[in-house]
Amino acid sequence: MNAAARTDGVAWHEAGATARLRHVHLIDTACASDNLGDEIIMERCRAEIAPLLRDAYVTTSAGHDGLGPSGRRAAAAADMVLMLGTNALSARLRLGSDYMWRIMPRDLSALRGKVVLVGVGGNRDFDRVHPLQRRLLRHILSHDHVHSVRDHIALRLLEQIGLKGVMTSCPTLWSVPPEMTGAGPARRVVMTLTRHLAHDSDAGLLTALREVYDEVWFWPQQPRDLVHMRSLPGHEGVRVLPPNLAAYDAFLAAGPVDVVGTRLHGTIRGLHHGQRALVVEVDHRAREIAGHSGLASIRREEIAEGALPDRLRGAWQQRMTLPLEAIAAFTSQFDPVRSPNPETAVPTPHFDKR
């Protein structure tokens, strides 16, 4: 069998007389996801880390489905595994469960001490970390790198399990212009909604948008969001965009349009195109990321009180206050890369769920 056909660790690095190749494996949580927000996150994460991987051989596997046989072999051969974005850090035991970052017992040896977090958030707040989840995370996460997290829940979780992280905010914001201004609303607006976090204020959101704008458009980030929008009073006049990122990008690039909605990353996508954007805070992610980054946001209580139309009619000033030192501290460690030392890797633990 020739070297190209082999899948063990030696074969990945065989390059004749040339220097040893660096192999980085990416865990992509947009694969097999029904949420197009994951695609937005993955695209920006890949763009941000591309300069750091310019000399690397890169392989990929899906976060939702887990490594699989081929992904497991690739991860086992890799020098480093990067977990990209989303709110995948959990204090609950997730080993073997159907989760956005699926880890099976047979994956443990392949991931041992290799995983570095890139803009990962905490799934939900917690009082304590499950003891077996603590062992799982300490086993798979690198002890030799500083991890990048996007909220304080994830940062606190890392601290409680004894690993080092920096709060870098979300990588989808790293390349947003630091300052953007506008005189007033555009003629058109595109709205997003979150079906699984539906609220009475969603009707008030649509009413306010119809009051301020000549055209109201809707982008379904998940299919069920469209069902929710069509249940709201006044939905008949709303125009619906195709539910894919290419159509959404084309619309955002076609001319002035405001972006307002409950979908955090669907709203941030407007900033990527230089459009005015306002996110409605519906969970801890939006509240915290807006709070520490300067992302323009509004609370649902303010919408219920009727504050949205005046907010939209006013002049717009978006000033990003990103943690640039923390971002630099995270990215600088990859040039040159510091691969885990196999002699100090954590041994594979035995997980007993009893």
Side-chain angles (χ1 to χ4, degrees), residues 142-277:
S142 172
H143 294 222
D144 300 320
H145 293 87
V146 176
H147 299 274
S148 159
V149 296
R150 70 185 191 190
D151 56 53
H152 286 93
I153 293 176
L155 186 61
R156 182 162 61 90
L157 196 156
L158 286 180
E159 290 172 348
Q160 289 201 13
I161 66 173
L163 298 181
K164 187 174 182 180
V166 287
M167 223 287 296
T168 61
S169 191
C170 184
T172 58
L173 293 172
W174 291 2
S175 297
V176 168
E179 187 165 345
M180 304 169 69
T181 59
R187 188 178 64 85
R188 303 180 302 165
V189 66
V190 59
M191 173 180 66
T192 60
L193 291 172
T194 311
R195 173 61 185 89
H196 64 275
L197 294 174
H199 191 270
D200 292 343
S201 64
D202 293 341
L205 170 61
L206 177 55
T207 299
L209 296 183
R210 295 187 65 196
E211 176 184 332
V212 174
Y213 297 93
D214 296 335
E215 295 180 13
V216 179
W217 292 74
F218 181 74
W219 184 60
Q221 188 170 299
Q222 281 186 296
R224 55 188 174 180
D225 296 346
L226 182 57
V227 176
H228 176 45
M229 190 277 291
R230 287 178 171 163
S231 72
L232 301 178
H235 73 273
E236 297 83 2
V238 177
R239 306 183 190 186
V240 179
L241 290 167
N244 62 73
L245 192 55
Y248 190 41
D249 280 337
F251 180 79
L252 293 173
V257 58
D258 290 353
V259 186
V260 182
T262 64
R263 287 292 189 173
L264 175 62
H265 293 99
T267 306
I268 289 174
R269 193 65 169 188
L271 296 177
H272 298 161
H273 291 272
Q275 307 291 4
R276 185 166 83 152

Side-chain angles (χ1 to χ4, degrees), residues 4 31 47 57 62 68 89 91 93 101 129 186 218 226 230 243 250 256 274 288 309 331 336:
C31 293
Y57 172 67
L89 268 190
L93 180 61
W101 182 13
V129 181
F218 181 74
L226 182 57
R230 287 178 171 163
E288 184 164 343
T331 57

Side-chain angles (χ1 to χ4, degrees), residues 91-109:
R92 300 180 180 184
L93 180 61
R94 295 295 187 180
L95 182 66
S97 64
D98 186 8
Y99 188 55
M100 66 188 75
W101 182 13
R102 192 175 191 186
I103 303 169
M104 304 302 290
R106 57 183 174 271
D107 301 334
L108 294 175
S109 60

